[in-house]
Amino acid sequence: MAQAVAQILTGVLRHYATILMQTTPKKQDIKALREQRALLRGINLRTNASVLSPSSFQARKTYLVSAYQAGTFLKDPDSKGKPPANPMTDPAGMDQMMGMMKGNMAMIVPQTLIMGWINAFFAGFVIMKLPFPLTIRFKSMLQSGVATSDLDVRWVSSLSWYFLNLFGLQSVFTFILGNDNAASQMAQQMAQMNPSAGAGMFGPGQDPDKMFQSEAENLEVVEHEWILEGVETRLLDRIT
């Protein structure tokens, strides 16, 4: 019980510490925003191609492919073909990396402290017994830190209870702090795995021109199938 309360309080403190460490997002340049939205437009066209008629899809595809290949949407057309700028000298890249570093610190430091506290005071203890039977395969997962071979599998060690709470308290954090909270481990891991879902589509060191060229190739090889093709015949066949 004390472990669960400590982990909940740690998650709440981490949430507010993350909010305090966040910097005010800078206003994006209109050209940079146009560059990002143009790439998203091509991705959305590929994803939702089936809802467009063949003529509509072909018109959009032709326009975007030619614009991507010509560098029409580039923020800095003069940099086309040049190597990407060093992210260590790019202010936007430095801000993004600093934000990721702050998020990692807010997640790693509290968990390291609380795990050290558990190892110091609760190492080798079993704290609860599950009220339902389990197979022997669960022994290594539920009895970490307890080196006994004859202990009933239903007993849970303090270290295993910590890891179960680590991934099982997400709904509690959502109830206390709301859906968009910084205490959720899974949300932070997803944000780190998919940084493009945040403020910027292009990360530090990425070449927008290469991404446009790659998207142009993806659009060219799309096999379009209209979802309404032959819908009258299909409807009549179903009725009759």
Side-chain angles (χ1 to χ4, degrees), residues 14-219:
R14 183 169 66 249
H15 168 72
Y16 288 107
T18 304
I19 293 177
L20 291 176
M21 288 191 297
Q22 286 179 348
T23 57
T24 304
K26 296 181 179 179
K27 187 177 180 180
Q28 276 193 306
D29 181 63
I30 185 65
K31 293 183 178 180
L33 193 61
R34 177 172 174 261
E35 187 179 61
Q36 297 171 12
R37 296 298 182 265
L39 184 62
L40 279 175
R41 186 177 177 184
I43 296 173
N44 291 333
L45 178 61
R46 284 192 295 110
T47 305
N48 306 299
S50 60
V51 301
L52 297 173
S53 64
S55 58
S56 297
F57 173 76
Q58 189 62 38
R60 288 169 171 81
K61 172 184 172 181
T62 303
Y63 169 71
L64 287 177
V65 168
S66 60
Y68 288 164
Q69 292 176 346
T72 305
F73 300 119
L74 289 176
K75 177 179 64 175
D76 186 12
D78 296 334
S79 63
K80 183 179 180 181
K82 298 180 181 179
N86 187 355
M88 300 303 294
T89 60
D90 184 12
M94 289 295 293
D95 291 341
Q96 185 176 355
M97 288 189 290
M98 186 61 68
M100 292 177 62
M101 187 180 299
K102 289 180 180 179
N104 289 334
M105 288 181 59
M107 181 176 63
I108 294 174
V109 172
Q111 295 300 334
T112 303
L113 294 177
I114 194 171
M115 193 170 180
W117 172 69
I118 291 173
N119 282 331
F121 292 96
F122 300 99
F125 286 90
V126 290
I127 59 175
M128 64 178 297
K129 186 177 183 180
L130 298 177
F132 47 85
L134 294 171
T135 62
I136 195 65
R137 293 178 179 272
F138 288 90
K139 188 175 182 65
S140 60
M141 182 179 70
L142 297 178
Q143 296 179 3
S144 299
V146 180
T148 56
S149 58
D150 55 348
L151 186 64
D152 190 354
V153 182
R154 291 183 294 172
W155 286 102
V156 182
S157 67
S158 58
L159 191 59
S160 296
W161 183 242
Y162 162 78
F163 285 110
L164 291 175
N165 284 332
L166 185 64
F167 297 102
L169 291 175
Q170 311 307 322
S171 58
V172 177
F173 291 137
T174 302
F175 176 75
I176 298 175
L177 304 171
N179 292 324
D180 189 15
N181 66 82
S184 175
Q185 299 285 330
M186 298 302 294
Q188 292 192 12
Q189 291 174 5
M190 290 295 293
Q192 293 174 11
M193 292 172 60
N194 187 23
S196 61
M201 279 289 297
F202 304 108
Q206 290 182 330
D207 188 358
D209 183 54
K210 289 184 178 180
M211 297 182 71
F212 279 130
Q213 299 298 332
S214 176
E215 185 59 33
E217 294 178 1
N218 293 335
L219 284 172

